[in-house]
Amino acid sequence: MQVNSVISNSITQDIRLKGHQSIRFSVDGFSILVSDASYAPVYLKQYTFESSVPQEEQVSECGRILDEDGLLSFEGEIVLIADSMAVTLLPDQFFDQDKKCEILEKVCSPGETDLVFDRIIKNRKLMLLYAVSEKIIELSKRFTGDVKILHTTECLISLSDQIKSSDHQRGVVLAEVQSHTLDILVIKGDRILLSNRYSLADPSDFIYHALNTMKQLDLDHESIPIYLSGMIHEEHELYGLLGKYIRNVIPTPYYLEHISREEILRFMILSESSKCG
C-alpha cells in the first residue's frame, strides 16, 4: 500500500470537537481529510493499493489507521463517501421508501449484503438512491460521533454550485475523474439532465465517455464547457488531449488552504462532502 501524505499537522482537541472529518473509499484505496471548523485542511492522506484488494480489506485497513491516529474518537462532523457503482437519481414524486431496493435494482446491481440508502437532493426535487457496503456501515458504527454516509454523486452535485449560473443555464458538463471511475453530471436550464458513473479500464477512457455524452445530448463542443475535477489537472497530458475536441476545458473552481491546485482538484469531492446538507 502506498501513502501520499499531503498534510500531516497535529489535530488539536478543538478540531476534534468542532472540525470535520471526511473519508472517501474508491476502487483502489481511500483518502482521509480532517479540517478545522472553518474547513481549512490540517490532515490529508491518500492510501492506494497497488493491486486489486477486496473492499472488506480496504475498510479494515482504514479502520486500523483511524484507530492508530485517534480519529475514531473524533467528535466533530464525520462523513464517509461511498463510491458504489450502484446509484441512481429519480424525481422525488416517484420515490417509494418501501420499494427503494427494487427501484435501484432495476438500473444497477447492489451487492448481496449492501444496504440501500436514500438522500433528498436539496433544491432539485430529486432523490438519490445508492448502495453502501455492509463493511462501511460497520466502520461508521465504530466512531464516537455521528456519521453521515454519502455518495460521490451528491458531492458532485453540491460541487456544481461552484460553477457560474450562466453555465448552469446555457449548459455545462462536470467530469470527476479518478484512476478507475468517472462521474459525469450534465446541467442545462439549471436542471440536471444526466448523472452517470462509469468504470474505467484506463483513465484515458474518460475522454470517450465525455465526448459520447455530449454527442448523445446534442451539446455543442464549441460553446458548452467541461469542468474537470479529480486526477486530471492542467499539466496532465489527458487535459490537453480533451482540449483537442472540446473548446472549453476548465478546472473546477474551488479553494482549499495550504495545498496545490493539483491536489485541490484531486481532493475537492472529499472536502465538499462536509458541506452537503
Side-chain angles (χ1 to χ4, degrees), residues 189-209:
D190 202 33
R191 293 177 55 248
I192 295 176
L193 298 186
L194 176 143
S195 175
N196 269 352
R197 296 211 82 206
Y198 299 94
S199 293
L200 302 179
D202 185 87
S204 62
D205 293 344
F206 96 91
I207 294 177
Y208 165 79
H209 292 299

Side-chain angles (χ1 to χ4, degrees), residues 18-70:
K18 302 175 185 178
H20 311 272
Q21 179 178 187
S22 301
I23 302 165
R24 180 180 183 179
F25 294 96
S26 56
V27 175
D28 58 350
F30 54 91
S31 302
I32 304 171
L33 169 66
V34 177
S35 304
D36 64 19
S38 62
Y39 297 101
V42 296
Y43 175 107
L44 176 55
K45 294 185 179 182
Q46 181 181 35
Y47 298 84
T48 307
F49 293 90
E50 296 181 4
S51 57
S52 179
V53 173
Q55 187 170 70
E56 177 179 353
E57 185 175 332
Q58 289 188 25
V59 176
S60 176
E61 184 65 11
C62 179
R64 182 190 65 78
I65 290 168
L66 292 169
D67 190 26
E68 285 184 354
D69 290 348

Side-chain angles (χ1 to χ4, degrees), residues 63-107:
R64 182 190 65 78
I65 290 168
L66 292 169
D67 190 26
E68 285 184 354
D69 290 348
L71 292 175
L72 289 176
S73 59
F74 196 84
E75 295 182 50
E77 181 183 48
I78 304 166
V79 179
L80 305 183
I81 308 171
D83 252 3
S84 166
M85 296 302 295
V87 58
T88 190
L89 276 172
L90 73 158
D92 56 7
Q93 66 264 34
F94 297 131
F95 175 68
D96 185 333
Q97 182 70 38
D98 295 330
K99 295 182 179 179
K100 63 182 182 181
C101 295
E102 180 181 337
I103 293 170
L104 186 59
E105 287 171 356
K106 285 182 178 179
V107 294

Side-chain angles (χ1 to χ4, degrees), residues 169-187:
Q169 291 298 326
R170 182 175 62 250
V172 63
V173 179
L174 283 85
E176 213 277 328
V177 189
Q178 297 294 341
S179 298
H180 301 284
T181 57
L182 166 66
D183 288 88
I184 288 185
L185 181 69
V186 181
I187 298 174

Side-chain angles (χ1 to χ4, degrees), residues 138-152:
E138 289 175 358
L139 176 63
S140 72
K141 295 176 181 177
R142 295 180 60 190
F143 287 91
T144 301
D146 294 332
V147 179
K148 288 191 298 186
I149 303 179
L150 306 183
H151 191 274
T152 310

